[in-house]
Amino acid sequence: MTLIKEPDHGTPARAGEATVAVEIDGTEVLVPEGTSVMRAASEAGIDIPRLCATDSLEAFGSCRLCLVDIDGRKGTPASCTTPVAPGMKVRTQTPELAALRRGVMELYISDHPLDCLTCPANGDCELQDMAGVVGLREVRYGFDGENHLDEPTDSSNPYFDFDASKCISCSRCVRACGEVQGTFALTIEGRGFASKVAAGAGGSFMESDCVSCGACVQACPTATLQERSVVELGMPTRSVVTTCAYCGVGCSFKAELRGDEVVRMVPYKDGGANEGHSCVKGRFAFGYASHPDRQLKPMLRERITDPWREVGWEEAIGYVARRMLDIQARHGAGAIGGITSSRCTNEEVYAVQKMVRAAFGNNNVDTCARVCHSPTGYGLKQTYGTSAGTQDFKSVARADVILVIGANPTDGHPVFASRMKRRLRQGARLIVADPRRIDLVRSPHVEAAHHLQLAPGTNVALVNALAHVVVTEGLVDRAFVAERCEDFEAWERFIARPEHSPEAVAGITGVPAEELRAAARLYAGAPNAAIYYGLGVTEHSQGSTMVMGMANLAMATGNIGREGVGVNPLRGQNNVQGSCDMGSFPHELPGYRHVSDDAVRSVFETLWGRTLQSEPGLRIPNMFDSAVDGTFRALFVHGEDIAQSDPNTRHVTAALSAMDLVVVQDLFLNETSKFAHVFLPGTSFLEKDGTFTNAERRINRVRPVMAPRTGKHEWQIVCEIAQAMGYPMKWDDASQIMDEIAMTTPTFAGVSFGKLDRVGSVQWPCNDTAPEGTPIMHVDGFVRGRGRFVETVYVPTEERSTRKFPLILTTGRILSQYNVGAQTRRTGNVAWHPEDVLELHPHDAEVRGIRDGDTVALASRVGETSLRARIDDRMPVGVVYTTFHHPATGANVVTTEHSDWATNCPEYKVTAVQVTLKRPPAAEPAAARSVAAGER
């Protein structure tokens, strides 16, 4: 296995047919109109020297190395900024060009450290390469006189250094920060010889707006910006292409190694989801995989008050099997169950649900998607016929209006957010519906046309009012509706009622009627309008209703079935979509087919050799309630920290404490493992072999860069538990699991490891009808036949503010941390977010005597915790906000039992709370635990 070097053609590709013929060094090349001479030459196998050019950035023309000679043109134009023209004849090598290039390189080298042999970029430095290409053997100017060799190194960032003495001011980092990432944190300050790269207003990288996405490091042609891991470990020698295990974007990376040690993660240009871009988590926060906290051996204990003892795999698996069978014998077949993980591969998830159904003998299987995106599955299946988003990520480049509801893409899905911001800079209009003023509302070169700052819990009232404007102002695409949809007339009468007007709901949502009307007109009047939403939609008591409301709005305006439109859920974890696809819900077999369907069940019964139950099993909340009641006695928890991530922590821990057997499989001992009797060590994404399915239904290969440090793949452990329980369950490798998935699941019928290795990735459905996958859903018709309009009655949440609890708490994520923080807290990312804080409006702080940085008590009717206050007017009066990345804070101590009416997805986004001053921060450690949280 060798180091993968991806081709760099110098400038971006241009769309269109290859219709322009040019001759370069006697070779005729046919390329699309607008292609640069440099790229045309590169595609013909002719390399032109360059330093400032790279094909991820638009041409800049500053380095003056890529000069060429063109018949009929004066001078020597830069090939990167010169577009091809029909009949053009180009020469890339002449004595004059060679002399000019050597002269340019002499100037660069005369002001550059001559430490190539000891430089960490030795062998991977474009400046070094170009010096050789142009044949530079001497520097006539010498090395005396004014230079930049004493410029300091900025080591403020935890992952990379900026060595200004090696900077050639090519602007590639500056342009990458703007064009690719869209943060605009870097600039060139000064002029001429005094020009240099600066972060922000001349401060350090950590003091600037830099988000550490790594685009600048990747773009740098020298060792100016260099990963510390490369400095410490040396240049990598081999690569493995795999998939990031953080959010639902599903970025492809080259894991670059030296031996078996990962040196760096480099975003893969051929990655369908990210196309060579990354965020701070995927790019740099992989060190948790080798963190000393990782547990690598199984552990047992009879009681949760006993100390752990390490055991071998055989003893651990045998113990789990015996206890599970014994509990079933004493309490019934339905007394045990399992929870699958959205952080694990499709193959691992499929194995767990198969173990529950075939070996446990029941349908008591659920997944963490229950607490995040289960309303997406229900709502989109009711209206469109399939439980998934409608577009691929590239589609946003064709959107004219983008409606973001209950999502914070720059923090939760940053690589997709960069795509979105690029489209917004090109002129697309933006509508943001969110109680909080997220960064997208106003950031460099991006400003929302409308910020609908609604009250938490009023999403359905808002979307009904948007649809009311569409219906009553003649903005319905009636041709689309007539051809593609059903039940429209009843819905039209419903939505046209006066109680749905913007004026009527203004008192409910807090959004001025005229603002809402203007937003509705903007969305409905766009050639292409797209909806992107997140947990701010689904984690409500009316989450499913809101998903159906957005589906109604898109159908009514004809914004379904082509590029630039659609209803697009931004999934939270890396394999939320996949864990749902694989049959992780108690009422559905793989492929979203109900367990009561005799024909579907018979497919699995024939293959698995077991009779399967036709009645749905227990959902996660039902498991907890039944455990407290004494009827549910044992749980296999696969890769989820339910004691930290699920709502109403006191109830969760009471349920876990009541069980006879809790088995946790994970990388680290976590909050849930405090209540476990067996701990089975898991594998990191660097050791996994399988697939993830991202938010756009893209199935990506996850390839192991090293053998499992535990000695077993997770699917092997699951198989061995099933076998020890008397059910024969065995595969030789992960590819055989995918083959079984393809055999039983119509949307995956054309998927195999071999195919993914050939084409890179596919989006389901992938079958005989769509052998190369389906980037855009519902093109010619909906999966269910005709799109179904559903009446969406607004029902206020039962969780209301009161005199005792006058504020509303809503929760979310931050860029540098991920989910419950088990991975990111064990990396350098803690430099940005060492603790969860509570954001509150200056007015709410002032009336409580709270100053910025004070420690406050956050209390609801179910619990209390403590954390530090941050005063910020991005919150509306009466609403407070926190993240849930640190167990020391225990944000879910205060969240309640309210949930979505259809799916039991918890209502994390609406909790009535009170905030009171506790004591100044000097008197108490940050994020101290409350008594209630300490009892968990």
Side-chain angles (χ1 to χ4, degrees):
M1 206 175 297
T2 59
L3 198 65
I4 298 170
K5 289 287 188 180
E6 296 173 90
D8 187 334
H9 296 295
T11 63
R14 298 303 179 212
E17 295 294 321
T19 57
V20 180
V22 296
E23 183 183 296
I24 303 176
D25 291 345
T27 300
E28 187 169 287
V29 188
L30 199 64
V31 293
E33 184 178 357
T35 301
S36 71
V37 169
M38 175 181 285
R39 186 174 186 103
S42 179
E43 291 183 0
I46 301 166
D47 289 328
I48 299 174
R50 61 178 185 262
L51 279 173
C52 72
T54 181
D55 60 14
S56 62
L57 304 171
E58 291 298 329
F60 194 58
S62 71
C63 75
R64 311 308 298 168
L65 269 185
C66 70
L67 309 175
V68 292
D69 184 75
I70 301 175
D71 281 2
R73 297 217 184 169
K74 292 182 179 180
T76 51
S79 61
C80 65
T81 57
T82 303
V84 296
M88 179 183 279
K89 292 188 177 182
V90 181
R91 283 174 296 280
T92 69
Q93 302 293 333
T94 69
E96 179 188 9
L97 293 172
L100 288 170
R101 290 170 182 160
R102 278 196 299 272
V104 169
M105 281 303 304
E106 283 185 272
L107 292 171
Y108 279 120
I109 297 301
S110 68
D111 188 22
H112 198 80
L114 299 179
D115 61 350
C116 290
L117 293 179
T118 58
C119 177
N122 185 25
D124 190 36
C125 173
E126 293 178 44
L127 184 69
Q128 184 184 53
D129 293 343
M130 290 305 106
V133 166
V134 304
L136 185 66
R137 298 293 177 263
E138 62 176 348
V139 177
R140 292 170 293 167
Y141 314 115
F143 299 95
D144 297 328
E146 191 174 359
N147 57 56
H148 299 90
L149 301 182
D150 294 328
E151 290 287 327
T153 296
D154 178 356
S155 298
S156 61
N157 189 284
Y159 294 118
F160 60 81
D161 296 329
F162 174 69
D163 184 352
S165 71
K166 295 181 177 178
C167 181
I168 61 173
S169 296
C170 65
S171 291
R172 272 166 62 165
C173 61
V174 177
R175 291 147 55 211
C177 189
E179 293 179 30
V180 178
Q181 169 57 28
T183 297
F184 297 91
L186 305 181
T187 188
I188 297 286
E189 67 176 20
R191 295 173 64 86
F193 188 78
S195 64
K196 62 179 181 180
V197 172
S204 69
F205 270 76
M206 282 297 281
E207 294 168 330
S208 74
D209 291 332
C210 170
V211 293
S212 298
C213 67
C216 59
V217 179
Q218 191 168 352
C220 182
T222 69
T224 306
L225 284 158
Q226 186 67 274
E227 299 99 327
R228 288 196 194 146
S229 56
V230 174
V231 177
E232 294 166 3
L233 301 174
M235 290 302 302
T237 57
R238 66 183 182 95
S239 308
V240 178
V241 177
T242 190
T243 304
C244 179
Y246 281 114
C247 78
V249 175
C251 295
S252 296
F253 279 87
K254 294 181 295 181
E256 296 193 344
L257 301 97
R258 193 173 183 89
D260 284 334
E261 193 161 21
V262 178
V263 176
R264 63 185 177 192
M265 298 291 290
V266 178
Y268 191 43
K269 289 166 65 174
D270 283 344
N274 59 316
E275 296 182 301
H277 191 37
S278 61
C279 80
V280 61
K281 295 188 288 289
R283 183 71 159 87
F284 297 116
F286 56 86
Y288 70 88
S290 56
H291 195 279
D293 283 355
R294 265 194 74 178
Q295 181 63 37
L296 300 177
K297 293 183 179 179
M299 297 191 297
L300 295 180
R301 57 185 179 182
E302 292 295 327
R303 294 175 295 275
I304 62 174
T305 54
D306 293 342
W308 287 109
R309 64 182 180 91
E310 290 187 352
V311 298
W313 278 112
E314 185 176 351
E315 181 178 353
I317 289 167
Y319 182 87
V320 171
R322 287 194 304 275
R323 292 293 309 277
M324 287 287 187
L325 291 170
D326 176 65
I327 290 167
Q328 281 188 313
R330 290 187 291 112
H331 299 283
I336 66 175
I339 297 175
T340 72
S341 174
S342 294
R343 290 192 289 123
C344 293
T345 64
N346 288 319
E347 293 72 19
E348 291 164 341
V349 171
Y350 181 89
V352 172
Q353 65 85 31
K354 181 176 180 178
M355 174 184 72
V356 172
R357 292 192 160 101
F360 290 10
N362 59 52
N363 286 318
N364 292 339
V365 61
D366 209 346
T367 180
C368 72
R370 170 72 56 207
V371 301
C372 62
H373 266 288
S374 50
T376 287
Y378 181 88
L380 292 181
K381 191 166 187 178
Q382 294 299 310
T383 50
Y384 296 166
T386 189
S387 303
T390 62
Q391 313 296 120
D392 61 358
F393 288 145
K394 293 179 183 178
S395 171
V396 76
R398 302 292 297 274
D400 301 296
V401 170
I402 300 168
L403 174 55
V404 176
I405 307 181
N408 187 3
T410 55
D411 279 18
H413 305 86
V415 172
F416 172 72
S418 293
R419 280 187 189 270
M420 181 186 291
K421 289 191 290 184
R422 190 178 311 133
R423 179 59 185 148
L424 293 170
R425 293 195 303 273
Q426 293 168 350
R429 308 291 298 283
L430 173 66
I431 304 166
V432 173
D434 200 294
R436 190 164 170 256
R437 192 179 69 242
I438 61 174
D439 288 344
L440 272 178
V441 173
R442 195 168 192 273
S443 57
H445 303 279
V446 169
E447 185 168 9
H450 301 282
H451 178 203
L452 310 180
Q453 198 167 22
L454 74 167
T458 64
N459 287 340
V460 173
L462 180 91
V463 78
N464 283 347
L466 291 170
H468 177 91
V469 176
V470 171
V471 166
T472 59
E473 295 191 6
L475 301 175
V476 173
D477 185 340
R478 294 193 175 271
F480 179 90
V481 170
E483 180 186 352
R484 301 279 304 271
C485 305
E486 64 186 16
D487 297 340
F488 173 74
E489 291 78 12
W491 176 81
E492 184 179 29
R493 290 192 297 272
F494 162 80
I495 211 69
R497 293 175 188 169
E499 64 263 31
H500 298 312
S501 71
E503 289 75 17
V505 305
I508 297 170
T509 65
V511 179
E514 278 311 305
E515 184 80 3
L516 201 151
R517 282 189 179 276
R521 293 165 185 152
L522 180 62
Y523 174 85
N528 289 327
I531 298 173
Y532 292 90
Y533 71 94
L535 304 185
V537 160
T538 56
E539 291 179 344
H540 286 276
S541 59
Q542 281 202 286
S544 293
T545 308
M546 180 59 180
V547 173
M548 292 187 288
M550 294 185 299
N552 290 337
L553 182 64
M555 286 189 291
T557 54
N559 282 303
I560 285 289
R562 62 182 184 277
E563 288 188 303
V565 299
V567 179
N568 306 284
L570 297 175
R571 304 287 194 170
Q573 297 194 69
N574 54 297
N575 203 32
V576 169
Q577 184 67 61
S579 68
C580 299
D581 298 341
M582 293 298 103
S584 290
F585 289 126
H587 66 293
E588 288 177 335
L589 288 157
Y592 305 99
R593 293 164 295 165
H594 204 277
V595 295
S596 63
D597 188 318
D598 294 341
V600 171
R601 214 169 53 255
S602 69
V603 171
F604 290 93
E605 289 177 336
T606 300
L607 182 64
W608 292 354
R610 282 290 169 99
T611 300
L612 304 181
Q613 290 191 355
S614 60
E615 292 294 322
L618 298 176
R619 297 173 174 179
I620 291 174
N622 306 138
M623 292 180 191
F624 294 157
D625 292 343
S626 298
V628 172
D629 292 343
T631 56
F632 186 78
R633 311 294 298 190
L635 181 63
F636 179 89
V637 185
H638 187 222
E640 294 298 335
D641 192 0
I642 54 177
Q644 185 180 343
S645 64
D646 282 39
N648 195 351
T649 303
R650 187 177 292 175
H651 182 59
V652 175
T653 56
L656 291 170
S657 300
M659 294 185 202
D660 297 330
L661 178 67
V662 175
V663 182
V664 169
Q665 184 163 340
D666 216 316
L667 300 179
F668 307 101
L669 289 170
N670 54 28
E671 297 300 295
T672 305
S673 67
K674 293 177 181 178
F675 303 91
H677 305 86
V678 183
F679 185 89
L680 304 175
T683 54
S684 76
F685 80 107
L686 296 172
E687 300 147 57
K688 291 185 185 297
D689 189 10
T691 56
F692 293 150
T693 306
N694 74 351
E696 52 174 357
R697 297 169 284 102
R698 185 181 301 278
I699 306 162
N700 266 320
R701 279 284 278 120
V702 184
R703 297 179 179 87
V705 305
M706 60 187 71
R709 296 181 64 198
T710 62
K712 289 183 183 291
H713 287 291
E714 292 186 23
W715 57 265
Q716 290 177 305
I717 299 163
V718 171
C719 286
E720 290 176 19
I721 292 172
Q723 288 169 340
M725 292 182 70
Y727 175 68
M729 181 169 155
K730 187 178 185 300
W731 296 284
D732 294 328
D733 56 49
S735 70
Q736 292 182 353
I737 308 179
M738 177 51 74
D739 292 342
E740 184 171 316
I741 294 167
M743 189 188 310
T744 57
T745 309
T747 50
F748 279 69
V751 182
S752 67
F753 280 20
K755 179 160 197 165
L756 296 175
D757 289 341
R758 287 193 306 274
V759 304
S761 63
V762 296
Q763 291 169 261
W764 68 257
C766 177
N767 46 35
D768 289 343
T769 305
E772 300 307 312
T774 311
I776 307 294
M777 295 285 283
H778 318 300
V779 174
D780 299 316
F782 289 94
V783 170
R784 68 180 305 276
R786 296 175 73 84
R788 176 182 170 222
F789 280 90
V790 179
E791 294 183 18
T792 51
V793 178
Y794 168 63
V795 179
T797 173
E798 294 180 18
E799 184 73 4
R800 313 284 181 84
S801 58
T802 64
R803 290 181 63 186
K804 186 175 182 180
F805 301 110
L807 303 173
I808 294 295
L809 169 71
T810 187
T811 62
R813 300 180 179 183
I814 201 165
L815 170 64
S816 61
Q817 294 293 330
Y818 172 70
N819 209 31
V820 297
Q823 294 145 276
T824 42
R825 283 186 283 105
R826 291 176 169 89
T827 70
N829 282 29
V830 293
W832 291 281
H833 190 73
E835 60 179 342
D836 293 320
V837 297
L838 184 74
E839 292 184 13
L840 69 166
H841 190 275
H843 171 78
D844 293 325
E846 183 178 3
V847 298
R848 290 166 174 78
I850 296 169
R851 295 172 299 177
D852 197 70
D854 283 348
T855 299
V856 297
L858 175 69
S860 73
R861 61 181 172 80
V862 300
E864 179 179 324
T865 188
S866 299
L867 64 171
R868 202 181 299 270
R870 175 176 296 161
I871 300 173
D872 196 329
D873 66 0
R874 69 195 298 169
M875 301 304 303
V877 174
V879 180
V880 296
Y881 170 88
T882 190
T883 50
F884 50 87
H885 303 303
H886 291 266
T889 305
N892 284 319
V893 168
V894 302
T895 52
T896 68
E897 75 286 354
H898 293 310
S899 64
D900 173 52
W901 64 271
T903 66
N904 282 133
C905 183
E907 191 170 44
Y908 289 115
K909 305 306 183 188
V910 185
T911 304
V913 297
Q914 178 60 289
V915 178
T916 54
L917 178 65
K918 199 162 186 184
R919 64 185 69 159
E924 176 178 304
R929 300 301 300 276
S930 67
V931 174
E935 292 172 351
R936 290 166 53 193

